[in-house]
Amino acid sequence: MVKTSLDLAKLIADAASDKKARDIVLMNMDGLTPATDYFVVCSAGSTTQVRAIADSIEDKLQEDEGIEFMHKEGYREGEWVLMDYGDCVAHIFLQDSREYYSLETLWGDAELTAYEG
């Protein structure tokens, strides 16, 4: 059961890991933006895998917890999918796109926790 935004972030990371997402990082955004508490950032090797990870997150949260995303962007293109769950936002990147946008650097003040599932 999801009780905190950290629990939600871990559930998203678990679902991403189920589809072999790489370099999963939880970014604590508390105090940095009023929009969300956590970013979950991960990488994939292909647009097909990006979509599979997004599908896994959507399915796991909906089926296990009854939680639906508020907003989703980028699914059709599959280079960067953003899934907004309110307290937590998932960012699923192709590796090149992740390096280009470099959220970990852009939000350099965020506390980073590597996911170890």
Side-chain angles (χ1 to χ4, degrees), residues 44-61:
S46 68
T47 56
T48 300
Q49 186 185 17
V50 168
R51 288 186 202 101
I53 293 166
D55 291 343
S56 178
I57 293 168
E58 183 176 350
D59 292 345
K60 184 169 191 144
L61 268 64

Side-chain angles (χ1 to χ4, degrees), residues 13 16-17 21-26 40-43 98 113-116:
S17 179
R22 297 188 308 252
D23 303 321
I24 303 171
V25 176
L26 281 62
V40 178
V41 182
C42 64
S43 300
R98 182 173 181 174
T113 305
Y115 171 79
E116 297 179 18

